[in-house]
Amino acid sequence: MHTTISPFALAYWKEKQPVGATKFGWRGVSPELGDIHVVYPAGKDVPNLVVTEVTGSVIPSATFETRGVHTDVLSMPTLNRATLRVGGGLVRMSRNRWAPTHGGRSLRMVYLGDVYRLKAINRRAYEVSRQGDSEDPGAVVTVRQSGLGSSRRMAVQAQGRVLPADVTIAVLFAGVDRSVLTRRGAVRAGFSRIFNFWADSQA
C-alpha cells in the first residue's frame, strides 16, 4: 500500500522504570498512519544486548539490536554488530565504514526485495530512501531533530508515495546511534566508547 503522507512530529519522552534501565523514546501520530512509538532500550534487561523497538497502529513493528560486551554501557544500539528485523523479517545491512563522504558511509539495507539507504545529513538529521524501479519511483523520508532536553522533537517528512515499512525504518533510526555515518561522528564515538569502558572498569 503506497500512500502520500503529511509531515508529522515525534516528541521525546523518558520514563524511569521501577526495576531496570530507564526507558527513552519518541512518540507521535501520523494523520495517515496513526500512532507511532519508538522505545530504547526495549524489552527485558539482557547482558550484552541493547534493543530499539518501533510499534504503531498501522506501520509494521521493527527491532534493531546490537550485541557485544560494549552494549553494557549503551542506552541505544549502534550500527556495529547490529541486526534489524521489520515485521519479523530479517533485513540485510552493509556499509563502508572507511568512506570519506556521508553518501559513501551510508547504511545499505535490503528488505523484501526493496533497497533502502540510510544517509546522514548532519549530526541531527538523516534520510532514509527506498530505491525506485521501472514501476515505482521510490521514496525518501527525512527526519530532523530540534529542541533541547525534554522539548526535543523529530520532524518527519516524506517525498513520494511511501510504504508503511518506509516510515518504520525511518523512525527506527531516531533510537539508534547514527554517529558513525559521518567521519567526525565516528571519531567522537570511538573516544566515547574508550572513556565509557574505562569508567565502567573503575566502578
Side-chain angles (χ1 to χ4, degrees):
M1 179 189 70
H2 295 75
T3 186
T4 302
I5 64 170
S6 310
F8 65 94
L10 301 176
Y12 176 77
W13 62 269
K14 174 181 176 181
E15 185 176 277
K16 179 67 175 177
Q17 302 296 298
V19 177
T22 299
K23 302 292 184 182
F24 306 89
W26 306 88
R27 57 191 170 201
V29 179
S30 160
E32 294 79 18
L33 299 176
D35 294 337
I36 296 174
H37 298 269
V38 181
V39 58
Y40 57 92
K44 298 180 179 179
D45 293 338
V46 177
N48 301 336
L49 174 67
V50 62
V51 180
T52 290
E53 182 179 36
V54 174
T55 57
S57 52
V58 175
I59 63 172
S61 299
T63 58
F64 190 98
E65 64 181 44
T66 300
R67 295 180 180 271
V69 294
H70 67 294
T71 62
D72 290 342
V73 295
L74 301 177
S75 61
M76 65 170 62
T78 69
L79 297 182
N80 298 320
R81 301 181 184 178
T83 302
L84 169 59
R85 291 183 175 85
V86 177
L90 186 64
V91 178
R92 300 200 310 273
M93 298 187 291
S94 61
R95 64 185 176 90
N96 179 3
R97 64 183 65 196
W98 308 112
T101 65
H102 289 187
R105 298 179 71 89
S106 62
L107 178 68
R108 183 179 185 271
M109 298 165 282
V110 180
Y111 172 63
L112 296 181
D114 287 322
V115 177
Y116 291 85
R117 194 171 296 275
L118 166 68
K119 185 177 74 172
I121 298 173
N122 54 44
R123 187 168 60 88
R124 294 163 63 88
Y126 63 92
E127 67 177 32
V128 170
S129 58
R130 175 169 47 80
Q131 184 176 303
D133 54 34
S134 59
E135 299 180 354
D136 183 349
V140 178
V141 182
T142 303
V143 184
R144 298 179 185 274
Q145 181 180 324
S146 62
L148 298 171
S150 60
S151 64
R152 281 177 285 175
R153 294 166 65 83
M154 286 286 191
V156 183
Q157 187 167 8
Q159 299 176 23
R161 292 171 58 81
V162 302
L163 295 168
D166 300 350
V167 177
T168 290
I169 293 172
V171 301
L172 172 76
F173 287 102
V176 174
D177 182 349
R178 308 178 307 277
S179 57
V180 295
L181 295 178
T182 67
R183 291 178 64 186
R184 290 184 178 181
V187 172
R188 287 195 301 269
F191 280 116
S192 176
R193 283 194 296 270
I194 292 171
F195 174 79
N196 286 335
F197 276 125
W198 177 84
D200 189 57
S201 68
Q202 304 302 307

